[in-house]
Amino acid sequence: PKEVYEEKLVQLKNLAELLRESETESHRLMEQGALLKSELRRLERNQKRGEEGVNLEYLKNIVLNFLSNPERNEQLVPVIATVLHFSPEERASLSKARDRLEERKRDDAAKSLSVTSVFDGFLSFS
């Protein structure tokens, strides 16, 4: 009766503590597994780069073209990403940077139009 109840209550508390510890350990192991998988993919990309022996002359020409012809950058970024085996995260980062650049260009164009229209309005008053 009361002693059995108290004994079972102590056992229940102990089991609850063991469960919490197991859940914490499980979470830690899952995070560690994800980190190891990510590192493995990175190492595989590095190995692939080494095996393919990225042709430096080809890469040099791509980068030179990229730097000297900004209007072709949109076409060359995927080529560079492929040649250098960018990770999905690196590709996403490039995509975000491209989106920010496009937004900045739109904002600059809108500002330019508003300045031009004010200037044109000023000239029409003269």
Side-chain angles (χ1 to χ4, degrees):
K2 188 173 183 178
E3 296 86 28
V4 172
Y5 171 77
E6 288 177 0
E7 182 181 321
K8 296 297 179 186
L9 190 58
V10 168
Q11 286 177 350
L12 182 61
K13 287 180 182 178
N14 289 338
L15 288 173
E17 180 62 27
L18 285 173
L19 179 60
R20 274 192 297 279
E21 289 173 4
S22 294
E23 288 173 341
T24 300
E25 181 68 8
S26 174
H27 181 69
R28 186 186 68 76
L29 290 173
M30 288 176 67
E31 286 178 344
Q32 188 177 28
L35 183 64
L36 289 171
K37 285 178 185 177
S38 174
E39 182 65 12
L40 179 62
R41 285 190 294 272
R42 187 186 69 78
L43 290 171
E44 286 171 342
R45 282 191 306 276
N46 286 344
Q47 182 180 10
K48 197 171 185 181
R49 281 185 200 117
E51 288 172 358
E52 290 179 1
V54 173
N55 183 332
L56 290 180
E57 186 68 24
Y58 177 64
L59 182 58
K60 180 191 82 165
N61 290 332
I62 293 171
V63 171
L64 185 60
N65 206 343
F66 180 86
L67 296 172
S68 60
N69 298 312
E71 65 278 355
R72 294 203 53 220
N73 286 1
E74 185 89 20
Q75 298 166 324
L76 292 172
V77 168
V79 174
I80 294 170
T82 300
V83 168
L84 296 177
H85 300 283
F86 283 9
S87 69
E89 294 82 13
E90 291 164 333
R91 288 176 185 264
S93 177
L94 283 176
S95 180
K96 286 178 186 176
R98 184 186 64 235
D99 292 346
R100 285 192 307 269
L101 181 61
E102 289 300 319
E103 185 177 327
R104 194 174 313 135
K105 285 180 183 177
R106 283 192 302 274
D107 290 347
D108 289 349
K111 287 177 188 174
S112 175
L113 285 176
S114 65
V115 169
T116 303
S117 63
V118 168
F119 187 68
D120 288 345
F122 177 75
L123 290 177
S124 66
F125 273 133
S126 303

